[in-house]
Amino acid sequence: MLLRVIIVTAIMFAFCCSICYARKNKDGLRIICAFLVLTLISEAVAFYMASVYKNNMAVFHIFNPVLFMLIAYYLNTISAINRKYNIGLTLGLFGLVASVANTLLLQPLHTFNSNYLLLEGLFICILGFITLYDFERDDKQLYPHKNPHFWMAVLLVFKQVIVFSLYIVIHLLIDWR
């Protein structure tokens, strides 16, 4: 309960900060604002479902592909390579189809959708590394660390690496037990 309150508070703080920057900046940060709003909605619905029905997995089966599509679209808009070949949109649509197939064939709505989350993480890492490579090869930007999109790409990749590490640790702890 306390962890959920901390998460929602952090997301609300990030959303309030992003509103200020989204008015001044390009479409990329507006996509992040939309992502934060949908994340707040999904967390609120997940909290309600967990408290009333004792299972909120259906919420994440529905919201995760939508949130992934927003991340893929964001990374597609900030990277010239992703935009040129539509890598973000292609991986986003493939992720959406994979989520539906995973829910229908492998992991039903009432279970944890770990297969899709691993695939989503792989796609985010791919898009993030392509975006970081694009920042590195851009000669017009001598200081990419001053660009907020650079830091968003770094955070997305770093978050996914941490999540992959946690999955490995959890798997090891389950096997060790």
Side-chain angles (χ1 to χ4, degrees):
M1 175 72 176
L2 178 64
L3 182 61
R4 177 102 32 206
V5 170
I6 291 170
I7 289 170
V8 169
T9 305
I11 295 170
M12 286 193 323
F13 177 72
F15 173 67
C16 291
C17 292
S18 69
I19 288 176
C20 300
Y21 288 109
R23 291 180 186 162
K24 302 175 197 173
N25 290 337
K26 299 177 184 178
D27 294 332
L29 292 178
R30 291 187 181 137
I31 297 169
I32 295 298
C33 280
F35 175 80
L36 291 171
V37 167
L38 280 175
T39 303
L40 276 172
I41 292 169
S42 73
E43 289 296 326
V45 172
F47 178 74
Y48 173 77
M49 294 289 285
S51 60
V52 173
Y53 298 107
K54 308 297 184 230
N55 189 343
N56 60 1
M57 292 299 149
V59 174
F60 297 115
H61 273 272
I62 295 167
F63 274 99
N64 278 346
V66 175
L67 292 172
F68 172 64
M69 283 292 295
L70 278 174
I71 290 174
Y73 180 61
Y74 170 71
L75 290 172
N76 200 65
T77 58
I78 66 170
S79 170
I81 296 172
N82 288 338
R83 198 172 37 248
K84 180 179 178 182
Y85 298 108
N86 280 326
I87 299 171
L89 297 178
T90 303
L91 289 180
L93 290 174
F94 184 76
L96 187 66
V97 170
S99 173
V100 171
N102 181 51
T103 301
L104 293 176
L105 303 174
L106 299 174
Q107 296 172 321
L109 280 176
H110 65 278
T111 62
F112 184 61
N113 59 344
S114 61
N115 295 336
Y116 173 71
L117 292 177
L118 288 171
L119 183 69
E120 174 186 350
L122 176 68
F123 287 167
I124 289 173
C125 284
I126 289 169
L127 290 170
F129 283 130
I130 291 171
T131 302
L132 290 175
Y133 171 74
D134 195 31
F135 276 114
E136 189 273 327
R137 73 178 187 92
D138 188 9
D139 291 335
K140 296 175 189 169
Q141 247 184 1
L142 296 177
Y143 304 106
H145 64 277
K146 293 184 179 182
N147 188 336
H149 299 302
F150 170 80
W151 289 110
M152 284 302 298
V154 167
L155 284 173
L156 287 170
V157 169
F158 183 70
K159 175 215 165 234
Q160 285 309 133
V161 169
I162 295 296
V163 168
F164 284 148
S165 302
L166 287 175
Y167 284 159
I168 292 170
V169 169
I170 289 170
H171 185 67
L172 290 174
L173 288 175
I174 289 172
D175 287 345
W176 184 61
R177 193 176 88 178

